[in-house]
Amino acid sequence: MFTLYGAPGWGSAISELMLCLCDEPYRWVDVSGFDQPGEARDRLLALNPLGQVPTLQHADGRVLTESAAIALLLADRHPALIPSAGDPQRERFYHWLVWLVANIYPTFTLGDYPQRWTTAGAQELRQRASAHREQGYRWLESQIGEGEYLLGDNITLLDAYLPVLVRWQPREAWFQVNTPKLWAIAQRVKAREALQTVVARNEL
């Protein structure tokens, strides 16, 4: 069984949704407050030197971090939740998975904690990060078709990102107006019966 270290509302919720989509048994360990000095952070740092969530631990003690890496691990174990080999959508799955963590995630690192990166112009950094994020979401909206999910009518592990991302800045009202397809997909994912415990715990 896996052990997932996380905090309600944080990026660990994405990996929780993935685990539930796969029907993988796991133990959830709440490390709320990990972003500040204290017991929770010390506990997380013992496993993940970067002190970040999600942090996934195997039963034998091995540790895997980064939501994209966890997605690929689960895709190997549950190939029905990734487009099949040879399907052009498989390449798009890889592209968008890496694109999300390489282009969207860093905007939160910069915008939520600008003081870590600059001693002057923190507000400008936050605004520029937000603008870049919104531009990225608009691009993704332009790329998806009319299917029920990001890659068509079949849910994939990639869709687990959306219920969490639409809760973060620029918030759901923005998504409803500016990227209605992304917002609608997030609602479909959240409505799945198998995910209700995670949805409730993370207030998605």
Side-chain angles (χ1 to χ4, degrees):
M1 178 185 291
F2 293 114
T3 299
L4 181 67
Y5 293 82
W10 287 75
S12 54
I14 296 168
S15 295
E16 272 202 275
L17 291 169
M18 291 180 187
L19 288 163
C20 289
L21 282 174
C22 295
D23 197 24
E24 282 274 3
Y26 69 98
R27 182 173 69 98
W28 189 73
V29 178
D30 189 347
V31 288
S32 294
F34 71 92
D35 58 332
Q36 301 295 329
E39 181 180 350
R41 183 165 183 79
D42 291 343
R43 185 177 191 182
L44 188 60
L45 285 171
L47 297 168
N48 180 354
L50 292 178
Q52 297 174 344
V53 296
T55 293
L56 186 73
Q57 188 174 32
H58 290 260
D60 63 6
R62 286 177 296 137
V63 171
L64 182 65
T65 67
E66 311 304 331
S67 63
I70 293 169
L72 294 174
L73 166 70
L74 293 175
D76 284 343
R77 294 167 65 96
H78 302 275
L81 286 168
I82 182 175
S84 59
D87 184 338
Q89 292 289 58
R90 179 119 170 185
E91 185 175 304
R92 181 166 281 188
F93 176 94
Y94 292 141
H95 176 195
W96 288 356
L97 177 65
V98 174
W99 178 85
L100 280 169
V101 298
N103 290 278
I104 297 298
Y105 257 49
T107 67
F108 294 109
T109 303
L110 295 172
D112 292 350
Y113 302 98
Q115 67 277 7
R116 293 180 181 176
W117 316 105
T118 180
T119 56
Q123 184 61 27
E124 182 180 1
L125 178 58
R126 181 180 287 112
Q127 291 172 349
R128 287 178 179 242
S130 295
H132 181 77
R133 182 188 314 130
E134 291 173 10
Q135 180 183 26
Y137 284 138
R138 288 190 178 97
W139 173 82
L140 183 58
E141 176 86 0
S142 74
Q143 300 301 300
I144 61 179
E146 299 301 326
E148 295 286 296
Y149 298 101
L150 281 169
L151 297 176
D153 289 325
N154 296 318
I155 195 169
T156 71
L157 292 167
L158 191 63
D159 294 295
Y161 279 87
L162 291 183
V164 180
L165 292 178
V166 301
R167 293 286 289 166
W168 295 350
Q169 291 289 350
R171 306 296 184 189
E172 291 200 57
W174 184 93
F175 284 94
Q176 287 179 267
V177 172
N178 294 279
T179 57
K181 291 180 185 178
L182 293 179
W183 185 82
I185 293 169
Q187 307 319 300
R188 293 186 192 105
V189 176
K190 287 197 308 183
R192 296 178 74 93
E193 184 176 355
L195 306 181
Q196 293 312 297
T197 298
V198 179
V199 168
R201 174 161 53 225
N202 292 279
E203 299 183 353
L204 299 179

